[in-house]
Amino acid sequence: MELRALNFPGARVRLLHGRELRYSFSISPTAFSRLYHCVLLLTPARSPQMFVVNPDLRALADRRPLPHVYHYDGPGVRLCLWLPRKNEWLPQMRLLETYVAWTSEWLNYFEEWLVTGEWAGGGEHPPPRKKRRRLRATRPVTT
């Protein structure tokens, strides 16, 4: 399995209830960055979801609205890493080259945004539709 082959110190793969895979790992986007604890959530028939659970990104942002995140009521912050309608991610793509790399890149732009107030990461985050089902994990994301 690709996730087990990733050599992040302290990383952990857990299968919950036979249908939900959680990959917990810590990553630092640059040599001078803080360490972020992330959880990649994989469930059948859904795109993967990436959460940053520690440190609290909202607290780091002094409660400013975070750029490029999805609304999520649980712990942590669910990152917006790609635009689904443009098929920027497909299930046959490697998670290391997509979700993990995109998370590191997102965190690097986040740290820059904390200082400048400008999101340099580009991208597009469409406004939520009025009758849209709220996207959230099946259970609260924990390590």
Side-chain angles (χ1 to χ4, degrees):
M1 162 181 276
E2 178 188 356
L3 293 175
R4 288 191 191 268
L6 296 177
N7 195 18
F8 288 108
R12 192 166 85 179
V13 177
R14 289 181 28 201
L15 181 64
L16 300 174
H17 307 288
R19 68 182 213 288
E20 181 177 289
L21 190 70
R22 291 184 183 187
Y23 177 64
S24 302
F25 65 101
S26 294
I27 191 168
S28 182
T30 72
F32 303 103
S33 298
R34 64 177 48 93
L35 195 61
Y36 296 89
H37 183 72
C38 302
V39 175
L40 177 61
L41 178 65
L42 302 157
T43 53
R46 290 184 74 176
S47 297
Q49 299 174 55
M50 183 66 78
F51 298 86
V52 177
V53 294
N54 194 18
D56 182 348
L57 300 185
R58 290 181 185 90
L60 291 175
D62 292 328
R63 305 292 175 203
R64 292 180 288 170
L66 297 174
H68 288 277
V69 298
Y70 289 105
H71 177 80
Y72 175 68
D73 291 327
V77 172
R78 182 174 173 219
L79 304 184
C80 175
L81 299 173
W82 58 282
L83 192 56
R85 68 180 158 83
K86 291 196 176 182
N87 294 321
E88 294 172 325
W89 182 82
L90 299 170
Q92 62 268 28
M93 296 174 143
R94 294 178 52 90
L95 295 168
L96 177 61
E97 296 167 359
T98 56
Y99 270 81
V100 175
W102 293 341
T103 298
S104 180
E105 184 177 24
W106 190 101
L107 290 167
N108 189 44
Y109 287 123
F110 171 74
E111 290 184 345
E112 184 178 331
W113 174 79
L114 287 175
V115 175
T116 66
E118 297 290 325
W119 182 259
E124 175 183 340
H125 194 89
R129 296 181 202 143
K130 290 185 181 181
K131 289 190 176 186
R132 189 173 178 183
R133 184 174 63 118
R134 200 177 256 174
L135 297 174
R136 53 176 248 177
T138 55
R139 288 177 190 72
V141 175
T142 59
T143 56

